[in-house]
Amino acid sequence: MATFHLKLSRETLHGTLDKRIPPVLKICSGDTVVFQTLEGDWRWEKPPQPASSSGRTFVERRMPEDRGHALCGPIYVEGAKPGTTLKVSVERIVPHSWGWSRVGDGDPDHMARLGLSGGEHFLLWDLDVERRVCRSNAGHIVPMRPFMGVMTVTPDSDAPVRTHLPGVHGGNLDCKELVAGSTLYLPVLVEGALFSTGDGHARQGDGESGCTAIECPMREVRLTFEVVEEPFSMLVCNAPCGWITFGFDEDLTAASYEALRNMARLMGQLYGCSFKEALNLCGAVVDLRATQIVNGVRGAHAILPHDVLFAAR
């Protein structure tokens, strides 16, 4: 199996999901791609001041097609076609040396519900990759736990799709559990899958509740791709913490119920139990969490830990 390195350039970056964007690389099932990614606002170098307006973008953004996150890709995977699943194994994630977080800018509904006005509060962070520690310009220290906010195939849509929205295609999942050692199963929606990634996070809490995570560029995102016959009927992740299913809706309660229904279906596939039996078991063993509440379309995820449920003998 081959390993490809996808460096940052104008040709490898895009800011919307559109099946008309030509792939920057074609690979075979089983191949590995090592990505570099910008932070979500298209910067590579650390801004000189703690402010959204500080610093410069890596390349000049072309509007409106670059209005979203800076994504690296898309990748065409041979053999991927609608009706199959793209299995994406997260092998390694290495952040750059800096990141940022802010509150006071973002989804207007989120800001209004928090009662925020009067400009942003912005922090710059130094990232110690060896010690796995994040330190802000104000002296806060938190452990590092990096993951990619966006891992996505391209939707089958005649119009461009915003990178900020999560969905069955993946997209802006912002699920903090998708760390190295995770495997994400994405339903293929267009020929070749046309996979992209970006929006790196050095650390995030469930819900991404302030407004952002610690947003950061990534020096290395090592992903292995495999085309498989569809093992699941939905977006699913097998993470170190357990099996994960997702739900998305403008209403967080509706998203939570979607994630729960998907978990019951997944448990039926894993253990052969009925839908009602699975829901019964969910009350004992499944954790239901808010993934993010900041993107207009909210996300919820259900987690079935690996060590809490065993098949009946």
Side-chain angles (χ1 to χ4, degrees):
M1 302 302 176
T3 298
F4 300 88
H5 292 260
L6 202 58
K7 301 294 185 180
L8 292 169
S9 71
R10 176 65 267 185
E11 290 71 30
T12 64
L13 294 167
H14 60 103
T16 193
L17 300 177
D18 192 332
K19 61 184 180 182
R20 294 168 295 187
I21 297 175
V24 297
L25 180 66
K26 289 190 175 183
I27 66 172
C28 295
S29 179
D31 287 347
T32 297
V33 180
V34 181
F35 298 81
Q36 285 183 331
T37 65
L38 303 177
E39 50 84 41
D41 283 350
W42 292 72
R43 288 171 292 204
W44 177 254
E45 300 297 339
K46 182 180 180 181
Q49 301 295 328
S52 294
S53 59
S54 182
R56 57 187 180 88
T57 59
F58 179 75
V59 295
E60 184 177 352
R61 297 171 73 172
R62 299 186 294 240
M63 297 300 180
E65 58 264 35
D66 289 338
R67 64 185 178 276
H69 300 96
L71 301 186
C72 193
I75 305 298
Y76 184 105
V77 185
E78 298 284 357
K81 57 185 179 181
T84 64
T85 292
L86 186 65
K87 177 182 176 182
V88 183
S89 299
V90 183
E91 312 287 353
R92 180 173 164 86
I93 302 178
V94 181
H96 201 343
S97 60
W98 69 277
W100 61 269
S101 61
R102 71 169 175 242
V103 69
D105 185 21
D107 176 55
D109 179 65
H110 180 66
M111 295 298 102
R113 288 172 185 263
L114 290 175
L116 288 176
S117 60
E120 69 176 8
H121 183 277
F122 193 99
L123 293 172
L124 274 176
W125 298 80
D126 290 318
L127 308 181
D128 188 330
V129 175
E130 289 189 4
R131 296 181 179 179
R132 297 181 68 82
V133 169
C134 312
R135 182 189 297 268
S136 81
N137 61 292
H140 314 93
I141 299 173
V142 299
M144 185 183 298
R145 195 168 184 265
F147 72 97
M148 300 309 295
V150 176
M151 290 196 288
T152 184
V153 295
T154 298
D156 185 14
S157 171
D158 292 331
V161 175
R162 292 175 55 204
T163 68
H164 292 86
L165 303 180
V168 68
H169 60 285
N172 193 25
L173 295 174
D174 285 336
C175 180
K176 73 173 190 178
E177 304 299 343
L178 303 185
V179 295
S182 299
T183 301
L184 186 64
Y185 295 88
L186 292 154
V188 176
L189 305 174
V190 298
E191 183 181 346
L194 299 180
F195 176 91
S196 300
T197 189
D199 188 32
H201 296 161
R203 185 176 179 88
Q204 180 196 293
D206 281 328
E208 201 177 17
S209 51
C211 184
T212 73
I214 299 179
E215 313 284 331
C216 69
M218 293 293 182
R219 293 189 184 276
E220 178 183 348
V221 182
R222 182 177 292 263
L223 306 177
T224 297
F225 299 89
E226 184 180 352
V227 179
V228 296
E229 295 301 322
E230 189 167 8
F232 309 115
S233 58
M234 70 216 83
L235 179 68
V236 171
C237 181
N238 187 359
C241 67
W243 286 99
I244 303 175
T245 56
F246 302 88
F248 311 106
D249 197 276
E250 292 182 3
D251 177 76
L252 184 59
T253 299
S256 300
Y257 278 104
E258 181 184 349
L260 184 59
R261 289 192 298 270
N262 285 337
M263 177 55 72
R265 296 185 183 103
L266 174 61
M267 291 169 66
Q269 293 179 256
L270 294 176
Y271 299 103
C273 51
S274 70
F275 187 73
K276 281 187 177 180
E277 181 184 6
L279 286 174
N280 191 331
L281 292 167
C282 281
V285 299
V286 168
D287 297 312
L288 188 59
R289 299 178 180 174
T291 318
Q292 58 77 23
I293 60 172
V294 300
N295 294 326
V297 174
R298 276 78 175 175
H301 62 281
I303 301 178
L304 173 63
H306 289 305
D307 58 352
V308 299
L309 181 63
F310 305 92
R313 298 185 184 276

